[in-house]
Amino acid sequence: MRDTFCQRFGENETPIQTYFAPGRVNLIGEHIDYNGGLVMPMAIEQGIKAYVRPSTEPVFRMQTLQSDGELLLDWTMPNFEKRKAAWQNYPLGVIDLLMRNNWQWSGGLEILLESTLPIGSGLSSSAAIEVLTSYILLDQAADERIKDRIQIAKWCQEVENEFVGVKCGIMDQFAVAMGQEGQAMLLACDTLAYQYVPFSPPNYTLLLLNTNKERKLADSKYNERKASCEQALAQLQMAYPQLEHLCAASPDAWKELSDHVLQRRTRHVISEQQRVVAAKGALANGDWHFFGNLMTASHRSLQHDYEVTGKELDAVVNAALEEESCLGARMTGAGFGGCAIALVRSENEQAFIEQVSNKYQAATGLNLSVLASRKAGAGVGLL
Ligand code: ADP
Ligand code: MG
């Protein structure tokens, strides 16, 4: 990697440091982080590496092996206008926000990114690039606030909401910043109370099934779903002024909404919340069959009530569930393409991948890419 780095940024003696931020899967609790719900994400082994070399010039330079161009910023007169190359706006937004929060450093940086994470596939490469950039900047400037990983997650969410323009909840950035090896997390998105829960199913592997379907509509539909939830909450609050968010509504509250679409959206939110609580119990009891059933029920609710799955995610989940070796499967992330996850008996992994890939290809004409997450990954850090 040193050679590639030096080809791009030139040769010198300054050591190159390596940082890493993982991607994440959400095991269960989908589309409820922005409804104040309890979710269960987990950092994965795959992620983005950053090769970082400080320099004396007051210039920030970032390139990525995944895309062309360079994000160039002169510290002495930084230009925070949005860039044409979409990827550059994630790190740019982070720098802008940190500077507005009194982050200061006079030295320069040369950074090369390399990802083992499929990009734009629902494994949260966007949160990874945001959290990675924040962590590098705070570390290089010896800024004390690096210890406050929850603050880092909040800043990065703000960047994605305001600078990039995707109204995501806190879950992705939280999982990337706070991940711990071998552990999934239970995160209450209203209070940010959290706990770690061991996730290492004996004899089963969590497979990440990438549909390779571009999530073209994902961002606009995401914001649309979020607006529907706000509308449903506002209606319910007329009857229940104390109701703080949609996940806190009673199990049948959706029936009180006037509109059929809002009813189904809300039924997903409320039932998904119940499934997360049940999943916590399943993990505590080591009941992996029940955990798998909850994953599948979550997918069906996202398919029929929340309508964020689409043909490809449904095809891959249906094919996965036809395999006897599969305990459960569901889409993960925003939906409309991207990845599904499946819990599969480890000894049947190869046969599973073959069968599901063939069926998926026959149903959609697309190739399936499969990654395994053999253990939960650690959060962002210096390697
Ligand atoms: P997801 O977060 O599910 O991967 P998003 O659409 O939210 O999908 O974010 C993907 C975007 O993040 C990419 O289109 C790109 O702009 C940016 N990105 C993520 N990782 C990298 C990387 N290693 N190099 C360049 N850009 C990246
Ligand atoms: Mg993202």
Side-chain angles (χ1 to χ4, degrees):
M1 184 45 61
R2 195 172 189 286
D3 288 351
T4 313
F5 188 97
C6 292
Q7 270 165 19
R8 287 167 178 255
F9 296 113
E11 189 82 47
N12 70 42
E13 295 299 304
T14 311
I16 298 169
Q17 297 163 292
T18 310
Y19 293 80
F20 177 77
R24 67 95 191 89
V25 290
N26 186 21
L27 293 169
I28 195 157
E30 209 65 78
H31 280 280
I32 62 172
D33 63 340
Y34 54 80
N35 286 307
L38 184 69
V39 296
M40 197 190 284
M42 179 181 104
I44 55 179
E45 290 162 77
Q46 294 79 6
I48 307 178
K49 268 188 189 160
Y51 303 97
V52 177
R53 191 172 68 182
S55 74
T56 47
E57 269 180 80
V59 173
F60 178 94
R61 296 177 68 187
M62 183 185 262
Q63 298 186 18
T64 168
L65 293 181
Q66 274 64 49
S67 203
D68 294 333
E70 174 172 270
L71 173 61
L72 186 66
L73 202 71
D74 184 340
W75 286 154
T76 54
M77 41 172 194
N79 166 13
F80 290 114
E81 259 168 62
K82 273 198 159 188
R83 302 298 198 260
K84 279 207 196 78
W87 75 269
Q88 298 179 3
N89 291 319
Y90 296 85
L92 185 65
V94 168
I95 299 170
D96 175 43
L97 190 87
L98 285 180
M99 282 194 161
R100 285 192 281 112
N101 282 279
N102 304 317
W103 174 85
Q104 278 185 340
W105 196 47
S106 52
L109 283 175
E110 294 155 342
I111 303 177
L112 181 61
L113 302 179
E114 180 187 31
S115 185
T116 53
L117 203 58
I119 289 176
S121 303
L123 300 180
S124 218
S125 68
S126 63
I129 194 173
E130 292 153 7
V131 171
L132 186 60
T133 306
S134 316
Y135 194 87
I136 293 167
L137 292 174
L138 292 170
D139 194 36
Q140 293 291 330
D143 191 314
E144 280 287 301
R145 293 172 293 179
I146 196 166
K147 293 187 192 131
D148 190 350
R149 287 170 174 251
I150 296 181
Q151 180 61 60
I152 293 177
K154 285 183 187 165
W155 277 330
C156 291
Q157 181 199 10
E158 189 180 332
V159 168
E160 188 140 349
N161 287 174
E162 306 304 330
F163 200 91
V164 178
V166 180
K167 303 293 177 194
C168 62
I170 185 80
M171 174 176 69
D172 297 353
Q173 290 78 9
F174 192 97
V176 171
M178 295 287 286
Q180 285 201 353
E181 224 169 79
Q183 313 274 334
M185 288 161 248
L186 268 167
L187 169 67
C189 296
D190 54 345
T191 60
L192 296 193
Y194 66 96
Q195 68 183 91
Y196 291 101
V197 283
F199 187 87
S200 44
N203 310 321
Y204 283 86
T205 304
L206 188 73
L207 294 180
L208 316 179
L209 313 170
N210 187 352
T211 60
N212 288 310
K213 156 82 179 166
E214 257 189 79
R215 298 177 312 143
K216 272 210 184 107
L217 282 174
D219 292 347
S220 61
K221 292 283 180 191
Y222 188 99
N223 293 344
E224 198 180 293
R225 291 294 179 279
K226 188 161 182 260
S228 297
C229 290
E230 280 160 12
Q231 217 182 322
L233 178 64
Q235 271 192 32
L236 289 176
Q237 279 171 335
M238 290 200 262
Y240 310 99
Q242 308 296 331
L243 187 65
E244 277 180 36
H245 49 74
L246 211 48
C247 282
S250 59
D252 286 334
W254 59 271
K255 291 180 185 164
E256 297 172 41
L257 295 163
S258 54
D259 177 276
H260 286 301
V261 173
L262 283 191
Q263 281 189 349
R264 285 189 292 120
R265 303 292 186 253
T266 306
R267 183 166 63 184
H268 165 72
V269 169
I270 297 173
S271 65
E272 184 75 353
Q273 184 60 116
Q274 293 172 319
R275 281 185 288 274
V276 177
V277 174
K280 179 185 174 190
L283 283 188
N285 297 328
D287 189 344
W288 294 99
H289 281 87
F290 185 36
F291 191 87
N293 288 341
L294 291 164
M295 286 170 68
T296 305
S298 166
H299 185 86
R300 295 304 177 211
S301 176
L302 289 156
Q303 178 181 358
H304 300 300
D305 277 353
Y306 217 62
E307 296 182 283
V308 290
T309 55
K311 174 176 145 195
E312 293 77 12
L313 282 166
D314 291 337
V316 75
V317 164
N318 290 340
L321 293 173
E322 280 171 21
E323 296 303 302
E324 184 268 332
S325 57
C326 178
L327 287 184
R330 61 181 292 274
M331 57 158 266
T332 192
F336 303 104
C339 284
I341 53 176
L343 206 48
V344 179
R345 201 184 300 125
S346 306
E347 63 182 23
N348 301 94
E349 218 176 288
Q350 279 320 311
F352 173 92
I353 292 172
E354 222 166 278
Q355 285 290 336
V356 174
S357 301
N358 288 341
K359 286 181 184 168
Y360 178 71
Q361 156 88 49
T364 63
L366 294 172
N367 286 324
L368 190 69
S369 321
V370 183
L371 293 170
S373 178
R374 303 207 182 274
K375 62 171 191 289
V380 67
L382 176 66
L383 294 184

